[in-house]
């Protein structure tokens, strides 16, 4: 096993805990950290372990688990359940996701708990009487729900690699739901929008998330989720079977049967999570470990990194027209391969080895015109169209522990607040992941749909994903743990962070704060974060043939970056997520043993 990363003195860690417990020590921390370049004031050092997530209360739950002697997988399980309470837009037990783990000895594995199609699902289930796609069935309601995988997935990871008792990891989330927590301005506004709009047709959802007196939520109000607390307490006591059988399964199946959904008790009982080998590759002397199929994320990420290296893009200024043009072209080709080949490996033969082979990537790179943007439709040959764009209310969290284990986890409900459905009595939101399958077999159009076979609906099949939980190492030491929400922009966001750190030599905060831009083959548009592209650079790209558009922020890459100078992990919450926070495992006091 590699030697442990060097540590800095204890007073330079645990900034939050030190501030609360020992104000005098906090003054020393400020002096030690004040001159550190490239870090924001809210970045958190954590030599004894770190959790970074979209929710401050959830990060604190994970940090407490590390402090209690749990490892990074234990903290990932606890954080995941806490997010189901405190971050209802995407944190979940009614959805699914992926987890990538690197152990201190350098071995790596991944856990696939992507949702599956119910047994009664069929390829044409989202078509209306005219044979056209009915988007209303996809965006909300019971028909859109895939069989949830999160609880089985977290349980599988815990059974394989966890250390603390299961109950100790689920009970903090149950307590948060039972006792409630003060909500932020962002969450208050989001809940009010949901209750007045998408949740309104579903009484179970309004009962779960509405304010008891019917008035709008205000920042600082306490959100109590009593039904969710009952469900979580059952999971804590009886394990994952409490979710997939018994009372919970009965309530979900009854609500499905009464509202046109497809999931039965048999579907829930039959769900299994899978441990799979991650996809791995070498990029500029670093090892990149990411998620393989049924996620497209790791494969597409490694394709883009391979083409980046083949073109020598690390030698070009990142803000030059040539670099942006060439980077757009490698993205275009990776997303075309995504549409052609990727799906659930239990149902289709996904040629991952061929897609990641260096000669193949060198050929793709060599086909790029340095002076002219490609036409995406012509590049596709007989495959005309694109894979659409998932709205992607997803969330990512990153964890390292004091022993060197690293965990990257991305979970999702698909759209924001998923299907907007809470089965009465259960307390949790259900996903709308069935819309991530190809919706009309055989129809691939330039207007936004793809109908090729790899991702068509079939019973028990997992829908294709873009989630890209990723760990980067160098010389057998973790350098970066990252990932992001954002639908099909996820892969690009992770690519930007990885290349920022590895190829551009940026510190973690600088790599995460840098402006992002996106291209996904079709629609044939180069989309840039608002204000992220100087006018003269935009004109140069348009001369090269790119159609450039601006939009709001892209992704939220809550990451952990390990300083090459000190070896200290730094928790970096992406400022694009307003409620995100990092939490360090509190260090032991001088003279006391570690917890």
């Amino acid at each position: 096993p590699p030697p442990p990363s060097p540590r800095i003195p204890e007073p330079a860690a645990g900034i939050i805990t030190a501030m609360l417990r020992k104000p005098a020590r906090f003054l020393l921390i400020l002096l030690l950290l004040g001159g550190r370049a490239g870090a924001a004031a809210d970045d958190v050092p954590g030599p004894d372990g770190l959790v970074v997530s979209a929710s401050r209360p959830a990060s604190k739950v994970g940090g407490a688990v590390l402090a209690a002697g749990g490892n990074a997988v234990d903290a990932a399980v606890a954080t995941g359940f806490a997010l189901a309470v405190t971050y209802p837009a995407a944190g979940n037990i009614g959805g699914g996701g992926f987890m990538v783990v690197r152990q201190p000895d350098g071995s790596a594995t991944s856990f696939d708990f992507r949702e599956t199609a119910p047994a009664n699902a069929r390829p044409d289930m989202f078509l209306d009487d005219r044979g056209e796609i009915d988007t209303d069935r996809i965006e909300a309601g019971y028909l859109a729900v895939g069989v949830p995988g999160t609880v089985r997935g977290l349980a599988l990871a815990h059974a394989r690699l966890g250390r603390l008792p299961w109950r100790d990891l689920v009970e903090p989330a149950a307590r948060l739901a039972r006792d409630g927590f003060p909500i932020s301005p962002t969450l208050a506004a989001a809940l009010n929008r949901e209750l007045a709009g998408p949740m309104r047709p579903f009484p179970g959802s309004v009962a779960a998330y509405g304010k008891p007196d019917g008035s709008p939520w205000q920042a600082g109000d306490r959100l109590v989720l009593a039904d969710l607390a009952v469900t979580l307490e059952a999971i804590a006591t009886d394990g994952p079977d409490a979710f997939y059988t018994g009372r919970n399964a009965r309530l979900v199946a009854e609500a499905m049967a009464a509202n046109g959904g497809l999931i039965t008790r048999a579907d829930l009982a039959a769900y299994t999570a899978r441990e799979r080998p991650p996809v791995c590759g070498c990029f500029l002397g670093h090892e990149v470990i990411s998620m393989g199929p049924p996620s497209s994320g790791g494969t597409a990420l490694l394709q883009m990194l391979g083409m980046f290296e083949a073109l020598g893009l690390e030698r070009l200024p990142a803000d030059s027209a040539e670099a942006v043009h060439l980077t757009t072209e490698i993205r275009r080709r990776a997303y075309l391969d995504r549409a052609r080949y990727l799906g659930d490996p239990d149902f289709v033969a996904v040629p991952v080895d061929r897609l990641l082979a260096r000669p193949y990537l060198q050929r793709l790179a060599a086909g790029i015109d340095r002076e002219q943007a490609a036409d995406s439709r012509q590049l596709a040959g007989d495959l005309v169209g694109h894979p659409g764009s998932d709205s992607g209310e997803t969330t990512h969290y990153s964890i390292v522990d004091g022993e060197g284990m690293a965990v990257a986890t991305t979970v999702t409900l698909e759209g924001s607040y998923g299907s907007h459905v809470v089965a009465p009595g259960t307390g949790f939101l259900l996903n709308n992941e069935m819309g991530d399958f190809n919706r009309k077999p055989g129809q691939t159009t330039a207007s936004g749909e793809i109908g090729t076979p790899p991702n068509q609906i079939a019973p028990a099949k997992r829908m294709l994903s873009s989630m890209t939980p990723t760990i980067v190492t160098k010389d057998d030491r973790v350098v970066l743990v990252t990932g992001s929400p954002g639908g099909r922009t996820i892969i690009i966001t992770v690519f930007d962070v990885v290349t920022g750190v590895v190829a551009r030599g940026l510190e973690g905060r600088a790599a995460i704060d840098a402006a992002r831009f996106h291209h996904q083959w079709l629609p044939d548009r180069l989309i840039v974060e608002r204000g992220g592209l100087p006018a003269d650079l935009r004109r140069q790209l348009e001369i090269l043939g790119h159609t450039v558009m601006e939009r709001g922020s892209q992704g939220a890459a809550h990451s952990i970056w390990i300083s090459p100078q000190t070896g200290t992990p730094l928790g970096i919450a992406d400022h694009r997520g307003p409620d995100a926070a990092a939490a360090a495992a509190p260090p032991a006091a001088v003279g006391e043993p570690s917890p």
Side-chain angles (χ1 to χ4, degrees), residues 193-259:
R193 286 194 301 270
E194 278 289 309
L195 291 161
M199 280 186 182
R200 193 172 182 180
F202 307 111
S205 305
V206 175
Y209 283 96
K211 198 170 180 179
D213 63 3
S215 64
W217 289 103
Q218 303 291 329
D221 286 345
R222 183 166 291 271
L223 178 62
V224 175
L225 300 167
D227 287 341
L228 179 56
V230 172
T231 300
L232 289 169
E233 184 62 38
I235 295 168
T237 302
D238 299 325
D241 285 347
F243 184 89
Y244 292 94
T245 62
R247 173 185 179 271
N248 185 71
R250 174 178 59 80
L251 291 173
V252 171
E254 287 175 353
M256 287 281 165
N259 294 280

Side-chain angles (χ1 to χ4, degrees), residues 254-495:
E254 287 175 353
M256 287 281 165
N259 294 280
L262 299 181
I263 295 175
T264 65
R265 295 182 74 169
D267 289 319
L268 288 162
Y271 182 86
T272 57
R274 298 188 183 278
E275 183 174 7
R276 301 186 189 272
V279 292
C280 302
C282 183
F283 176 59
L284 298 176
H286 293 67
E287 183 186 28
V288 180
I289 307 164
S290 194
M291 193 68 214
S295 177
S296 64
T299 303
L301 172 66
L302 291 174
Q303 280 195 301
M304 291 189 291
L305 293 175
M307 286 185 271
F308 185 106
E309 188 167 358
L311 291 168
L313 292 185
E314 72 278 7
R315 297 190 292 271
L316 296 177
D319 58 353
S320 66
E322 184 180 11
V324 176
H325 164 63
L326 293 174
T327 304
T328 300
E329 292 303 311
I330 66 180
R331 294 171 179 186
R332 190 193 309 270
R333 285 152 178 80
Y335 275 78
L336 173 55
D337 275 358
R338 178 190 190 276
R340 276 180 167 151
Y341 300 116
L342 295 180
D344 184 346
D346 296 334
F347 283 75
V348 297
V350 183
V352 173
D353 290 344
R354 181 172 70 81
L355 295 175
L356 298 183
R358 186 173 296 272
Y360 175 69
L361 297 178
Q362 289 173 335
R363 287 198 302 274
L364 288 181
I368 293 173
D369 188 336
R370 289 179 175 264
E371 305 297 331
Q372 180 65 41
D375 183 306
S376 286
R377 296 172 69 178
Q378 291 181 3
L379 189 68
D382 59 353
L383 181 62
V384 178
H386 72 91
S389 57
D390 16 46
S391 60
E393 191 50 58
T394 300
T395 191
H396 175 84
Y397 54 100
S398 299
I399 300 176
V400 296
D401 63 27
E403 298 171 9
M405 178 183 280
V407 176
T409 306
T410 313
V411 297
T412 186
L413 287 171
E414 170 47 12
S416 183
Y417 291 83
S419 64
H420 313 283
V421 167
V422 175
T426 64
F428 60 87
L429 283 153
L430 291 161
N431 67 83
N432 65 321
E433 289 292 354
M434 291 298 292
D436 263 2
F437 282 114
N438 297 342
R439 302 156 184 184
K440 185 173 182 179
Q443 177 175 290
T444 301
T445 72
S447 63
E449 294 299 329
I450 189 166
T452 50
N455 192 39
Q456 289 180 5
I457 299 172
K461 189 176 183 179
R462 298 168 199 256
M463 58 290 292
L464 187 63
S465 170
S466 297
M467 289 181 274
T468 317
T470 298
I471 299 168
V472 180
T473 71
K474 184 178 183 182
D475 300 329
D476 291 327
R477 296 172 185 262
V478 174
V479 171
L480 178 70
V481 185
T482 193
S484 179
R488 286 182 173 86
T489 70
I490 291 172
I491 310 167
I492 301 296
T493 297
V494 175
F495 171 86

